[in-house]
Amino acid sequence: MKSLELRVPPLAILFFAGLLMGLIAVGTPPLAWPASVRWGGAVAASMLGILTALAGVLSFRRARTTVNPLRPEGASALIANGIYRYTRNPMYLGMLLVLIGWAVYLARPWALLVLPAFVVYMNRFQIGPEERVLRRIFGAEFDAFRARVRRWL
C-alpha cells in the first residue's frame, strides 16, 4: 500500500469522497430535516472549511513555501503560527469540514461513513508521509511543533 503514499492529490480524494457520499445518498432514505437546517448547516460547515483551508494556503504563500501536497520535500519553511497554532493540517481539516457540510445537506446517515474513511486515508497516505519528510527536513523544530499542535484539532 506504500504505492499510494503522496500519489493521489488530496483534492481528488475530496471529490471522490463527495461523489461516494452522493451515491450513497441516492440509495438511502433521508432524515426529515427542514430545508433551512440542511442548507444552513451545509453552508456553515462548508464556509468554515473553505476559510480554514484558505488560511493554511495563505500561510504557505506568505512563507513562500510549497503548497504542493505531493512534493513535501520542497518545503522551505515550517509554519507554526496563525491557523497552524491550532491544527497541523488546516487544508485537510478544511476539506473534512466541507465533506461534513455535504453530509448535512444530503441528510443521509449512511453517507457519514465516508467521513472516517476520509480521515483514515488522509492520515495513512498523505499526512503520515508528509510528516516523515518534514521530520527529515526540520528535525527537532518539527518534533516540537508536533508535540505542541494536534494533527487535526
Side-chain angles (χ1 to χ4, degrees):
M1 295 294 268
K2 202 164 178 71
S3 64
L4 287 176
E5 289 184 356
L6 302 174
R7 295 279 187 250
V8 182
L11 282 175
I13 301 304
L14 170 71
F15 289 118
F16 176 76
L19 177 64
L20 185 57
M21 291 169 77
L23 291 173
I24 290 170
V26 170
T28 59
L31 296 171
W33 288 351
S36 61
V37 170
R38 288 177 57 201
W39 278 98
V43 168
S46 296
M47 289 305 298
L48 181 60
I50 290 166
L51 292 173
T52 300
L54 278 175
V57 170
L58 290 174
S59 292
F60 272 47
R61 292 285 185 212
R62 269 189 238 114
R64 292 190 170 99
T65 191
T66 184
V67 182
N68 184 347
L70 304 181
R71 303 275 182 250
E73 64 278 359
S76 60
L78 180 66
I79 290 88
N81 55 14
I83 188 94
Y84 287 92
R85 290 180 311 204
Y86 307 104
T87 175
R88 294 195 314 258
N89 297 285
M91 292 175 239
Y92 305 142
L93 176 60
M95 290 178 188
L96 179 62
L97 289 167
V98 167
L99 288 174
I100 289 170
W102 180 230
V104 169
Y105 174 76
L106 293 172
R108 302 312 202 279
W110 288 104
L112 293 171
L113 294 175
V114 176
L115 300 176
F118 175 81
V119 170
V120 167
Y121 181 92
M122 295 304 287
N123 280 336
R124 169 62 182 88
F125 297 107
Q126 191 63 42
I127 297 170
E130 282 179 4
E131 289 186 342
R132 284 194 304 272
V133 172
L134 294 175
R135 170 70 173 81
R136 207 168 46 244
I137 295 170
F138 299 106
E141 184 183 4
F142 178 73
D143 289 340
F145 173 62
R146 197 173 85 187
R148 215 176 39 252
V149 180
R150 294 177 67 152
R151 183 177 269 182
W152 289 88
L153 264 184

